[in-house]
Amino acid sequence: QVRLVDSGGGLVQAGGSLRLSCAASGSFFAINTMAWYRQTPGKQRELVAVISSAGSIYYVDSVKGRFTISRDNAKNTVYLQMNSLKPEDTAVYYCNVNYTWENRNRDSWGQGTQVTVSS
C-alpha cells in the first residue's frame, strides 16, 4: 500500500500564492498518475490537476494559467503551485496517486489540507 502525506495549505489573501506538497511512501511497483482534487462542503470532489508518469498534464479550466502541477519521481512527490489565488479556490485539497502493486492499479488518497483564500 501507498501512504500519502499532503501539506502546504493555509490562509492567504486573494492574489497570494501557496504551494502544496504530497509525498508517497510504501510498497508499489510504479506510480502512474498523481493528482490534486478539492472539495467544499456540500459539493462533489473536483479534479484540479493531474500529471501522468510521462509528464502529460491536465488542468480544470478554472485554474489554468494560475496553478502548476509538477512531480519529482526521485522523491515520489507531487506539487501544486497555486498563484493568483481567488476566494473561490477555498477548499480542502486532496492528493491522489494511482499506482501499480501486485499486478493491479490502485488508488490512494492523502488526508487533505485546507486552503482558505480571503477577499
Side-chain angles (χ1 to χ4, degrees), residues 63-101:
V63 308
K64 285 180 180 177
R66 300 188 298 121
F67 291 10
T68 302
I69 189 171
S70 61
R71 61 190 282 172
D72 184 335
N73 292 327
K75 297 181 179 179
N76 298 319
T77 299
V78 62
Y79 305 95
L80 186 68
Q81 177 67 43
M82 305 185 294
N83 298 329
S84 302
L85 282 162
K86 304 176 180 179
E88 51 263 45
D89 294 318
T90 295
V92 178
Y93 284 70
Y94 296 90
C95 172
N96 169 270
V97 166
N98 179 272
Y99 64 99
T100 303
W101 179 245

Side-chain angles (χ1 to χ4, degrees), residues 35-67:
W36 289 96
Y37 287 73
R38 64 187 179 187
Q39 189 170 25
T40 55
K43 292 189 177 181
Q44 286 190 333
R45 196 168 292 188
E46 171 191 44
L47 174 63
V48 176
V50 57
I51 183 168
S52 74
S53 57
S56 299
I57 291 173
Y58 165 85
Y59 296 104
V60 69
D61 285 346
S62 59
V63 308
K64 285 180 180 177
R66 300 188 298 121
F67 291 10

Side-chain angles (χ1 to χ4, degrees), residues 8-26:
L11 173 64
V12 66
Q13 288 188 332
S17 298
L18 285 173
R19 188 191 194 210
L20 306 183
S21 300
C22 174
S25 62

